[in-house]
Amino acid sequence: MKIGVDYYPEHWDKNLWEKDAKDMKEAGVEIVRMAEFAWSRLEPEEGIYCFEWLDEIVELFARKQIQVFLSTPTCTPPLWLFEKYPEVIQVDKNGRRIPIGIRGHRCMNSPIYREKCEKIIRQMVSRYADNEWVIGYQIDNELEANHCCCPICEEKFRLFIKNKYQTVDKVNEAYGNSVWSGEYSSFSQVKPPFGEHQTWLNPSYMLDFNRYASESTVEYVNFQRELIHSIDEKALITTNTWLCENMPDFYKMFEKLDFVSFDNYPATKLPENEEVLYSHAFHLDLMRGIKKKNFWIMEELSGSLGSWTPMQSTLQPGMLEGYSLQAIAHGADAVLHFRWRTAVTGAEMFWHGLIDQSNVKGRRYQEFCKLCHTVKEWKEIEGSIIKNHIAILYSSEQEYGFKVQPQVEGMHYFTQMKAYHDAFTCLGIGVDVIDWLSDLSGYDIVVAPTLFVTNDKIEANLKEYARQGGTLVLTNRSGIKDEYNRCIMSPLPTVFSELTGAVVKEYNPIGKKTQKIEMSDKIWKGKPFTCTLWCDVIEPNQAEVLACYGEDFYQGEAAITVNHYGSGKVYYAGTVLNRKGMAVLVEFIVKDLGMEYIQGIPFGVERTVRQKESGQYVFWFNNTEKKQDFVSWKVQEGKTPVTERAILEPFEMAIIKEIK
Ligand code: GAL
């Protein structure tokens, strides 16, 4: 477990390096990431390499026993390269080469670009292969799925479609191209989605394009990975991912990499509305679930965000340390802060680092030093892992499906995943967010929200899980599409109706409105809750009704049901409950299984557990701006509740060791 920083020696006068390294050592920094944008300094002219400055700074850190994680600088090719080979510049959806001067503006598929990448990567990796302080490489920087529309990418996309379908007739059938005379008569007519009117394009074709775009990035990652490994077999290799508009398929992108790393920028201003789920805990669990193992934070929030947007609130006292420890509590084994010092030149001025532009060490820096100290004190946590019994299923298919066809205002793919994640968090229960096609056998509860795009594999996976005794939660907007993103012509949730023992009679996309919902007495005797975004009016044929709508023309009709399937149970929630309603529903599901959980946890307080053979570490995090003084109690059927009092300052993390 270590704390580190992201450092840009090429941005600073050389006479600052020695002092910076000394200060880092004193603060407790154990690792530094460098060079992801430094191509023009490493190869100022084609074939002329200047690594001496990097050697010098690597050496400086080595002398201080600080490890170095280098990055391949391929996100920002130098201007000479674009000038000499303009064909490596990305082409946008309007068919134009995009203006250079920013970053990430190269075409990953360009053979010339690949050739130049290979050369610079070879120089870098072979230079440090024997240096024990250079422990690994970050591939490129924050890669998105490749949406370049240049002639090379156009051909690649065409080939992807050709390989998938073999004949144009099969494509036409899969896409339903008889609509609007969209039938292909030759593969030459297959092109990337050009033009401004992307939402008017055929959703089946758009889903395939998104799949291709992801695959294209995965192929680029593997190109770099293989190259690095062919030179230095022992190097650790990762890439720093983030949550962006065009996300690649995380499971495929990281499949061959050593570990996942994530750029973690939690909100500095917490929403006033309690219904807004802001916690980054969900994102952290998503990251850990990609490889089902601990991960790294390659960039961690260190100050106000700014640069290309107006600045956001500064970090409240406790936030800097609290958010880093929150990442560790969810399985991070290293947290590197972005960035050591705030930039004083260039595009990223005002995206604040640990030290302000004045170069005077202030409040955030002191808190960072405290964090380094805390992590050193808890070194024994190293080697511990997280084992949960609840899983939420994620898939890129849904991510792309919803992006192509948003279902109603305010509803995003993450909406329900976050809502269920939050409800389990309220009960002090840890959750894994994992690939939808994973082996589910070890989980007591599996929540599979909004399975909009389906296929035979997921249908079989879920049926098998429930048949074997699993508790499955399905939700609205499931079973809508087949694998070609065509609507399935049978009552919703179509392929899952056998599991749910109920069908959807009709639905009302209510968007940001809220409506009343009443739980059955079995779950909750009292006031109604509210629901939002979507209302499926359910007709049970075999399932039991757990909640009904409390207003509108479908008042009294079923909103949530449960069905016995095999030896398991299948819940179907046709709507999205408010936060309290969700907590009540989830508590009912957990209680029904006789699982242990905790009552009395205030909203915004999170409990996570990392385990080791010798015992476990319980993390209590106050992710709110208020001091929390509360009594919680562990409950489990047939056992006497165990109560515990906790007092936590805003953003404070308490770590408790429990020996087995
Ligand atoms: C990240 C990126 C960094 C830096 C940071 C702050 O997304 O990887 O290079 O730009 O944001 O702006």
Side-chain angles (χ1 to χ4, degrees):
M1 244 171 51
K2 50 192 162 215
I3 298 295
V5 292
D6 300 312
Y7 188 55
Y8 298 92
E10 71 275 23
H11 295 182
W12 306 110
D13 197 299
K14 221 169 127 181
N15 57 36
L16 282 173
W17 293 1
E18 179 74 47
K19 172 88 169 58
D20 282 343
K22 182 169 167 282
D23 288 349
M24 286 180 203
K25 186 70 191 170
E26 276 171 20
V29 166
E30 290 185 82
I31 186 160
V32 170
R33 181 198 66 175
M34 293 190 292
E36 74 274 23
F37 305 123
W39 194 340
S40 72
R41 281 292 168 101
L42 295 169
E43 190 183 359
E45 281 175 57
E46 184 163 10
I48 310 289
Y49 298 102
C50 292
F51 276 77
E52 291 74 17
W53 65 271
L54 191 57
D55 295 346
E56 207 177 308
I57 188 85
V58 166
E59 183 50 34
L60 188 56
F61 286 128
R63 279 204 304 274
K64 303 243 176 299
Q65 303 197 309
I66 294 176
Q67 290 179 324
V68 170
F69 214 87
L70 288 177
S71 313
T72 63
T74 48
C75 180
T76 48
L79 296 182
W80 60 253
L81 199 150
F82 288 128
E83 190 179 42
K84 211 160 168 183
Y85 310 101
E87 62 272 44
V88 308
I89 304 171
Q90 249 177 51
V91 170
D92 68 14
K93 60 185 180 193
N94 293 312
R96 290 185 304 238
R97 300 262 169 212
I98 63 172
I100 52 175
I102 50 164
R103 61 181 177 182
H105 42 346
R106 67 325 188 203
C107 166
M108 291 177 219
N109 283 324
S110 151
I112 295 178
Y113 168 72
R114 291 275 181 114
E115 182 198 312
K116 305 299 165 206
C117 283
E118 179 168 345
K119 287 193 170 148
I120 188 91
I121 294 171
R122 273 191 190 284
Q123 288 287 328
M124 181 181 263
V125 182
S126 49
R127 200 162 186 109
Y128 302 109
D130 296 327
N131 188 323
E132 58 172 319
W133 291 98
V134 176
I135 63 161
Y137 294 88
Q138 169 189 302
I139 292 174
D140 211 284
N141 191 73
E142 291 191 338
L143 288 161
E144 296 190 24
N146 175 30
H147 279 238
C148 175
C149 297
C150 76
I152 288 162
C153 289
E154 181 174 326
E155 197 47 47
K156 287 239 170 184
F157 174 52
R158 190 169 294 129
L159 201 64
F160 172 90
I161 298 298
K162 218 171 175 171
N163 287 340
K164 182 167 175 180
Y165 298 97
Q166 309 295 328
T167 68
V168 281
D169 289 346
K170 286 197 181 135
V171 188
N172 288 332
E173 198 197 324
Y175 291 0
N177 274 344
S178 56
V179 175
W180 288 0
S181 289
E183 276 148 325
Y184 296 123
S185 50
S186 145
F187 275 110
S188 61
Q189 293 150 8
V190 176
K191 293 186 187 302
F194 285 115
E196 289 304 328
H197 303 291
Q198 305 260 317
T199 47
W200 290 55
L201 294 171
N202 184 329
S204 299
Y205 151 82
M206 287 301 280
L207 179 62
D208 263 351
F209 182 75
N210 278 280
R211 287 169 174 150
Y212 149 79
S214 170
E215 208 163 275
S216 181
T217 297
V218 173
E219 194 267 320
Y220 172 71
V221 165
N222 286 333
F223 146 73
Q224 289 214 14
R225 186 200 69 88
E226 276 159 33
L227 178 60
I228 298 169
H229 257 183
S230 70
I231 308 164
D232 181 358
E233 227 185 335
K234 63 187 183 325
L236 295 171
I237 307 180
T238 185
T239 186
N240 58 333
T241 203
W242 61 317
L243 305 173
C244 57
E245 199 192 333
N246 297 318
M247 290 193 271
D249 181 324
F250 296 132
Y251 305 102
K252 290 189 179 141
M253 184 165 79
F254 284 102
E255 195 181 335
K256 295 183 177 156
L257 302 184
D258 291 300
F259 56 85
V260 167
S261 56
F262 177 54
D263 293 349
N264 190 34
Y265 293 100
T268 54
K269 171 124 183 60
L270 273 39
E272 276 148 32
N273 179 354
E274 232 182 32
E275 288 301 320
V276 178
L277 304 175
Y278 62 88
S279 167
H280 271 232
F282 169 78
H283 300 159
L284 298 167
D285 287 340
L286 172 68
M287 290 301 134
R288 191 187 63 256
I290 296 173
K291 287 186 85 74
K292 294 194 181 154
K293 68 176 203 182
N294 291 357
F295 59 100
W296 283 27
I297 298 293
M298 204 52 105
E299 296 180 13
E300 172 74 24
L301 174 77
S302 301
S304 268
L305 313 187
S307 312
W308 38 82
T309 56
M311 282 184 249
Q312 293 178 19
S313 315
T314 189
L315 275 64
Q316 297 296 307
M319 251 186 191
L320 187 141
E321 187 185 28
Y323 282 148
S324 293
L325 294 175
Q326 182 196 31
I328 290 173
H330 286 267
D333 277 346
V335 180
L336 283 76
H337 278 255
F338 184 88
R339 45 190 280 161
W340 174 246
R341 186 170 32 241
T342 308
V344 293
T345 54
E348 302 222 288
M349 284 184 274
F350 308 124
W351 190 292
H352 292 75
L354 294 167
I355 305 173
D356 286 328
Q357 65 182 62
S358 59
N359 202 21
V360 177
K361 300 187 180 73
R363 176 180 65 85
R364 297 193 313 281
Y365 182 81
Q366 301 312 332
E367 201 172 305
F368 174 73
C369 296
K370 184 167 166 272
L371 165 73
C372 294
H373 182 77
T374 309
V375 169
K376 279 216 172 88
E377 265 193 341
W378 283 103
K379 256 308 190 233
E380 59 180 273
I381 292 175
E382 205 157 270
S384 61
I385 54 161
I386 295 177
K387 284 187 196 156
N388 291 322
H389 301 286
I390 314 272
I392 294 181
L393 306 188
Y394 171 87
S395 89
S396 303
E397 294 283 283
Q398 319 311 328
E399 170 64 33
Y400 302 149
F402 279 109
K403 193 173 72 164
V404 171
Q405 286 185 299
Q407 294 293 283
V408 70
E409 203 193 345
M411 184 168 155
H412 307 286
Y413 177 44
F414 276 180
T415 312
Q416 294 191 70
M417 277 189 279
K418 283 193 170 179
Y420 281 95
H421 186 275
D422 177 72
F424 286 109
T425 303
C426 290
L427 300 176
I429 302 178
V431 177
D432 291 345
V433 182
I434 55 169
D435 184 5
W436 69 334
L437 297 178
S438 297
D439 172 17
L440 305 175
S441 53
Y443 290 102
D444 295 331
I445 302 176
V446 168
V447 185
T450 49
L451 294 175
F452 186 65
V453 179
T454 66
N455 61 34
D456 294 347
K457 284 190 196 145
I458 185 65
E459 190 191 332
N461 203 22
L462 297 183
K463 282 187 173 159
E464 181 59 15
Y465 171 71
R467 196 175 293 127
Q468 298 293 338
T471 294
L472 176 66
V473 182
L474 296 174
T475 76
N476 57 303
R477 304 321 283 148
S478 291
I480 316 294
K481 304 285 195 102
D482 65 9
E483 63 178 293
Y484 301 107
N485 209 9
R486 299 177 298 204
C487 281
I488 301 175
M489 218 166 94
S490 83
L492 299 177
T494 69
V495 295
F496 304 119
S497 332
E498 193 188 310
L499 279 160
T500 55
V503 291
V504 177
K505 270 203 297 197
E506 65 173 308
Y507 50 72
N508 187 10
I510 61 172
K512 290 182 175 165
K513 262 177 64 184
T514 55
Q515 292 195 340
K516 263 196 266 166
I517 184 165
E518 281 158 9
M519 304 276 190
S520 76
D521 285 356
K522 198 167 164 184
I523 305 191
W524 178 260
K525 289 192 188 95
K527 282 193 200 141
F529 296 98
T530 59
C531 60
T532 188
L533 296 171
W534 196 274
C535 297
D536 273 345
V537 181
I538 305 173
E539 187 169 68
N541 44 53
Q542 196 178 294
E544 182 188 341
V545 178
L546 295 179
C548 291
Y549 294 104
E551 62 182 292
D552 222 320
F553 65 88
Y554 39 84
Q555 181 172 2
E557 304 249 26
I560 303 173
T561 56
V562 61
N563 186 40
H564 287 275
Y565 186 87
S567 335
K569 277 188 181 174
V570 181
Y571 291 82
Y572 183 82
T575 187
V576 185
L577 290 163
N578 69 332
R579 211 169 172 194
K580 286 205 176 92
M582 192 63 102
V584 164
L585 173 69
V586 165
E587 184 176 351
F588 173 77
I589 299 173
V590 165
K591 228 157 115 183
D592 186 56
L593 280 173
M595 289 176 80
E596 182 185 275
Y597 66 100
I598 299 176
Q599 277 182 330
I601 303 179
F603 275 154
V605 172
E606 301 165 5
R607 177 184 178 270
T608 28
V609 181
R610 284 182 65 143
Q611 301 181 2
K612 245 184 160 174
E613 259 185 22
S614 53
Q616 60 179 22
Y617 301 87
V618 182
F619 294 77
W620 280 99
F621 180 47
N622 177 8
N623 197 359
T624 74
E625 283 162 335
K626 288 189 292 203
K627 180 174 177 171
Q628 302 282 358
D629 181 347
F630 63 98
V631 175
S632 63
W633 54 100
K634 226 180 236 172
V635 283
Q636 190 172 19
E637 195 92 336
K639 287 196 187 163
T640 324
V642 185
T643 56
E644 202 176 339
R645 178 168 178 205
I647 303 172
L648 294 167
E649 294 299 327
F651 308 104
E652 186 183 347
M653 173 72 84
I655 309 173
I656 299 153
K657 183 176 178 178
E658 293 178 353
I659 299 168
K660 259 191 196 157

